[in-house]
Amino acid sequence: MRRKLLLGNWKMFKGPSDAKKLGEALKDKFKGATKPDAVAVFPPALSFASVRAALDGSPLTAGVQNLHWEKDGAFTGEISAAMAKEAGAVFALIGHSERRQYFGETDETVNKKTKAALANALVPVVCVGETLQERDGNQTNMVLTRQLKGGLAGLSAESAATIVVAYEPVWAIGTGRVATPEQAEAAHAHIRNELRVLFGALADSLPIVYGGSVKPDNARGLMSQPNIDGALVGGASLDANGFYAIGEAF
Ligand code: PGA
């Protein structure tokens, strides 16, 4: 059985004090056993410490939204995988479409970051997904293959054993236009096949989560698909009740 993950990407929302409040609300909400096998939130880097502290004693963990592949150095504005690890991060989002779109992230930098995360015992959540134009041009599978082959290049099955892939169609992110369960499942099945080409039998144990306008009322249909192993939630993860309700749909 694959692990089912509920991940909350807070993006550039919640400064340290608001993040602390949300962390406390989540700790309160997710008290007992959770339906997902793991629940994690990704606050802005400046708020990471206050969220980590607020979640102490809770089963929830936290991750960073980005990292740099070097251990340290003259890279103004960046944080390294080693620093994220030291601060208590468990996961690292890598190659989110907003980073690809606005900050020049490429499959090559995704590859370096994924390797840095793995080398520092962080679980990389490698994000892939096509734009609307690419989907309309019947290029979805080609784009996903290119992003996976580039982003995961040079990894052995052994070193890739902990990775998570997030399928996030760009046209579904923050738009309220969720992929249908069938559309998402088709993309996830394609991703699983590509992972099989790259890593053989390991592909069957790697979680592939869906992201893009996941809400409490559409989560169940998505989660019932055989190749959808969880959700990467943006907007709806900023509300403890809504985020919890998505987990209940697992
Ligand atoms: P959304 O964002 O749920 O607000 O669409 C998802 C994401 O960008 O990870």
Side-chain angles (χ1 to χ4, degrees):
M1 273 294 278
R2 284 189 291 272
R3 286 207 303 159
K4 293 236 190 292
L5 310 174
L6 174 62
L7 308 175
N9 174 13
W10 293 5
K11 309 194 180 188
M12 199 173 73
F13 293 99
K14 309 282 178 193
S17 57
D18 281 349
K20 177 170 180 276
K21 282 185 209 139
L22 181 52
E24 285 164 353
L26 287 168
K27 179 177 176 179
D28 190 50
K29 200 73 208 169
F30 286 84
K31 266 197 297 276
T34 60
K35 279 202 169 182
D37 297 304
V39 182
V41 295
F42 296 76
L46 271 181
S47 303
F48 187 90
S50 67
V51 173
R52 193 43 274 152
L55 292 178
D56 258 352
S58 132
L60 272 65
T61 60
V64 290
Q65 298 177 9
N66 181 34
L67 49 76
H68 193 278
W69 53 88
E70 293 291 346
K71 183 169 170 286
D72 47 30
F75 299 104
T76 302
E78 295 291 312
I79 55 169
S80 72
M83 291 170 185
K85 183 72 185 176
E86 185 189 334
V90 172
F91 294 88
L93 288 185
I94 298 188
H96 189 279
S97 69
E98 285 150 16
R99 298 220 49 93
R100 293 179 189 256
Q101 200 177 341
Y102 307 127
F103 303 102
E105 194 93 63
T106 63
D107 294 335
E108 196 187 346
T109 57
V110 168
N111 187 241
K112 290 182 181 175
K113 292 178 180 195
T114 301
K115 287 175 176 164
L118 289 168
N120 287 278
L122 293 169
V123 175
V125 180
V126 180
C127 304
V128 297
E130 80 288 359
T131 63
L132 187 57
Q133 202 186 8
E134 288 162 343
R135 172 160 285 264
D136 288 346
N138 283 326
Q139 294 175 320
T140 298
N141 286 353
M142 196 189 75
V143 169
L144 295 175
T145 297
R146 188 187 67 221
Q147 291 175 336
L148 290 167
K149 284 215 166 102
L152 304 177
L155 292 176
S156 63
E158 198 181 24
S159 63
T162 60
I163 66 166
V164 175
V165 174
Y167 170 60
E168 296 208 307
V170 178
W171 47 271
I173 295 178
T175 58
R177 186 180 158 191
V178 64
T180 65
E182 293 73 25
Q183 283 174 323
E185 171 59 22
H188 282 231
H190 177 75
I191 291 168
R192 178 111 31 230
N193 278 333
E194 290 301 328
L195 292 174
R196 207 167 280 129
V197 172
L198 289 167
F199 304 126
L202 174 71
D204 291 312
S205 60
L206 297 178
I208 306 173
V209 301
Y210 169 83
S213 296
V214 178
K215 306 277 182 260
D217 62 357
N218 61 31
R220 198 172 297 278
L222 290 161
M223 292 311 133
S224 65
Q225 299 298 315
N227 281 293
I228 300 185
D229 309 311
L232 175 53
V233 185
S237 73
L238 296 172
D239 168 61
N241 291 324
F243 192 52
Y244 181 80
I246 292 171
E248 284 300 286
F250 273 46

